[in-house]
Structure formats: structure tokens, C-alpha cells
Amino acid sequence: MPILDIATLDGRAVLAPMAGISDPAFRLLCRRHGAAMVWSEMLSAEALARHHGKTLRMAAFRPAERPVALQLFGTRPQAFADGIAQLEALNPDCYDLNFGCPAPKIVKHGGGSALLRDPGAIAAIATAAVRATARPVLAKIRSGWEVGSENAVEIARLLEQCGVAAITVHGRTRAQMFAGTADWGVIAGVKRAVGIPVIGNGDIWSGGDARRMIEATGCDLVMAGRGALGNPWLFAEINACLGGAAAPPPVPWSGKLAVIREHFALMAADKGESRAIREMRKHLGWYIKGIEGAAHARRDIMTATTQEQVFALLRRLTDQRPS
Ligand SMILES: Cc1cc2nc3c(=O)[nH]c(=O)nc-3n(C[C@H](O)[C@H](O)[C@H](O)COP(=O)(O)O)c2cc1C
């Protein structure tokens, strides 16, 4: 069974799968700024198995994003196998199975983190997925369903037996959603229990956090999600910190603006300008956080309808606080 060859990656910090965020544009930006690997948004195995055009288009990526993991969610083992068969032509570097999503719309159908309550179902999905492809199949889990029923170690061992190539552990239960702090002890426990690579996830906001997580858990890679929102530079900071170098200086607003332009252009090329304007709004909110005048500008940005209007508002922020 192929395992994830982490020795071939150029770094130890990777971008988390984030629905509505980790699209090709954001993934490419994060790769350019030092992410060693990127995950797609979660893709419905059922939709892929039905050859659903929009879902297949969501799976597309640019060669420069590699290595890319395409993540699937669902409940039916055969849908995962059929979904993977649909994705093979894209030649992804690996696949990832979502056993961690806490969102009610996924959990109420028995998918994502709901599967943590049913190890047999997880084994059936992982076995079907591993049989469906010669590429590495990874899995992403939470610490368990709720406090008192944390079973990440048991699930990780099972996944390893099923031929899974690496496991990402988010140190929160489903019940916690995103509240409180992640329990990195669970990541350490999984690392001790399995021989395949373990990717630690939860609350990496800085290079120092990444170093501390690796020291505390022994994990092979660190995965950052929310910390990268409006901050693709996080990966360069982590790489510097893990390499023993000084943290890069804060990015001046002019530098941020250049990256925002790039982000916008990549997204507009993929999705068209009007959709890019709508989808960029949340990213812009994160990019301008902490900049003088941001609160006021945010309101206008949320209602701007053309690229010119958006950049006029952003340039005004520059004027207020020259870099
Ligand atoms: C907006 C958003 C969307 C997410 N979508 C997914 C997803 O599609 N698949 C998945 O496995 N995890 C998803 N996650 C969870 C993240 O991958 C990650 O496990 C979580 O945010 C904890 O990491 P962090 O503390 O670095 O953010 C999502 C998280 C956020 C904030």
C-alpha cells in the first residue's frame, strides 16, 4: 500500500481542507507562500459517483498546486470507490477521507465526524477507497464524537490496518465544533499508536505554535486552517521557525495588496469576475483585519459590486496607513 512520502515534501506545514475557502486560487497562493501540500475542499462522494458536473469541476487543480489531496465525504463505501474512479483522470497526488466534519448538514446524513461512532463503517469506507486506487489514501479525523468517547487512537489503528497512508488528527471532538482549544495530547497518542505519518491539526496560528505542536506530539506534519485565513504568509513563518531562522518581518500593506490582487485574479480566472467578487468578500475581511480603518471599509467592501470599487476601497486603506 503506498504511504504518503513526506520526505519528498518541501516543508512540514500544510494547508487544511476548508469548504468555501481552499479552492484552487487560495491553495496556489498558500503553496507559493510555503505550504508543503494542499487539500481540496470536501467533495461529495455521492455527487462524484453520479458524475455531477459542478462537483467534478470543484475537484480541478492547477499543476503548480501539487502535491494536492482531493478530499471526499459521504457514507457509502461504493460511492467513495466510484467517486475516486471519477477523479483518477485528474491524476491527483492522493485522496483524503473526511471523518471529521462536524457540520449538521453532513453529520445528520451520517457522514464526516458522525462516522467516528461507527468504526465498522469507517473501515468499510477506507477499505473500499484504498482498493479503488493505487494512489495513497489519507484520512482526517477528530479526537472523537464527544468528551468521554474519544476514540482517535482506536480509529487511527483501524485506518492503518485498512491501508490508509497517513492520518490527520484535529484535536477536538465533534461536540466541541471549533470551540475551546485543541487537545494536542490526542495527536501525540495517535502518533505513538501508528507507524504511518501523522499530521497534527488544531490551533496553529504562528510559527511558534507549529514548533510547539511538533515538540509536544512528534507529529510528522502540521496542518493549518483558520490561521491561514487572510494570512497565506503563515506557512513561510512556520518554515522559518522550524528551520531555526528568524520570523520573516510582518508583511506591509502594499505587499498584502499585491497578494490580494493575485488572489482575486486567480479566482476570477476560475470562477468569473462576479462570483469572485462575492467569494472574495470573506477573504478581504480577513486580509484587512487589524489594518487602520478596516471596520469602516469592511461595510463598503461587502456591498461593492465591481473589482474597481473593491480596489479603490482597499487603496484608501493604504493611504491611511502607508507601508
Ligand atoms: C470554514 C472551514 C471549512 C472547513 N472545511 C473542512 C472540510 O471541507 N474538510 C475537512 O476535513 N475539514 C474542514 N474544516 C476543518 C479544518 O480542516 C481544520 O480541521 C480545523 O479548522 C482545525 O484547524 P485550525 O485550528 O488550524 O483551523 C473546515 C474548517 C473551517 C474553518
Side-chain angles (χ1 to χ4, degrees):
M1 233 48 79
I3 69 155
L4 177 65
D5 188 359
I6 56 169
T8 59
L9 301 180
D10 50 359
R12 293 179 75 180
V14 300
L15 173 67
M18 285 185 284
I21 313 285
S22 302
D23 63 358
F26 190 60
R27 296 193 305 251
L28 182 59
L29 274 191
C30 290
R31 278 287 284 138
R32 286 185 182 159
H33 290 280
M37 183 172 161
V38 293
W39 267 246
S40 73
E41 304 175 73
M42 60 178 172
L43 308 164
S44 160
E46 292 290 348
L48 291 168
R50 286 197 314 271
H51 308 201
H52 184 244
K54 189 174 160 218
T55 309
L56 281 165
R57 283 192 295 281
M58 264 177 81
F61 57 88
R62 292 178 172 83
E65 294 173 40
R66 290 186 183 279
V68 177
L70 296 182
Q71 189 191 66
L72 287 80
F73 74 92
T75 55
R76 239 176 10 102
Q78 191 58 42
F80 278 83
D82 294 345
I84 286 174
Q86 292 303 313
L87 296 173
E88 285 287 88
L90 295 175
N91 196 17
D93 297 277
C94 55
Y95 297 102
D96 189 47
L97 309 175
N98 181 324
F99 301 134
C101 180
K105 69 176 180 189
I106 304 294
V107 165
K108 78 171 182 229
H109 298 296
S113 59
L115 288 160
L116 296 173
R117 291 184 295 182
D118 189 350
I122 285 197
I125 290 169
T127 303
V130 168
R131 283 198 190 130
T133 178
R135 299 171 212 279
V137 174
L138 287 54
K140 183 163 177 284
I141 64 176
R142 283 184 170 235
S143 53
W145 176 252
E146 61 193 350
V147 174
S149 68
E150 289 99 336
N151 59 352
V153 168
E154 173 200 342
I155 298 286
R157 284 207 180 104
L158 189 62
L159 288 167
E160 183 176 35
Q161 282 163 18
C162 295
V164 161
I167 297 175
T168 304
V169 184
H170 177 194
R172 282 188 176 82
T173 61
R174 188 273 166 173
Q176 276 177 285
M177 304 294 278
F178 292 92
T181 48
D183 174 7
W184 292 354
V186 175
I187 303 168
V190 169
K191 178 62 191 167
R192 282 193 298 272
V194 297
I196 52 177
V198 172
I199 304 164
N201 172 237
D203 299 348
I204 303 280
W205 304 97
S206 68
D209 290 338
R211 184 169 37 75
R212 280 186 289 280
M213 179 189 273
I214 290 174
E215 283 167 5
T217 69
C219 65
D220 300 275
L221 302 174
V222 290
M223 174 185 275
R226 291 165 301 162
L229 301 177
N231 185 19
W233 306 277
L234 173 64
F235 298 100
E237 184 191 327
I238 294 175
N239 293 341
C241 190
L242 297 183
V251 182
W253 177 241
S254 59
K256 289 194 174 179
L257 203 49
V259 170
I260 293 169
R261 277 188 196 287
E262 204 182 337
H263 195 162
F264 213 117
L266 287 166
M267 203 191 273
D270 291 338
K271 304 181 182 182
E273 183 170 336
S274 70
R275 194 166 148 205
I277 286 170
R278 286 196 308 275
E279 290 197 15
M280 275 302 286
R281 285 178 186 148
K282 56 182 178 271
H283 290 281
L284 292 169
W286 292 315
Y287 279 119
I288 66 176
K289 220 165 123 190
I291 305 274
E292 209 179 313
H296 188 250
R298 182 173 285 122
R299 226 183 30 224
D300 296 335
I301 286 169
M302 293 307 150
T303 52
T305 51
T306 69
Q307 206 179 137
E308 289 72 38
Q309 286 170 356
V310 171
F311 280 100
L313 290 162
L314 293 174
R315 274 196 305 274
R316 228 185 286 163
L317 283 176
T318 322
D319 293 337
Q320 284 174 9
R321 192 176 179 176
S323 49

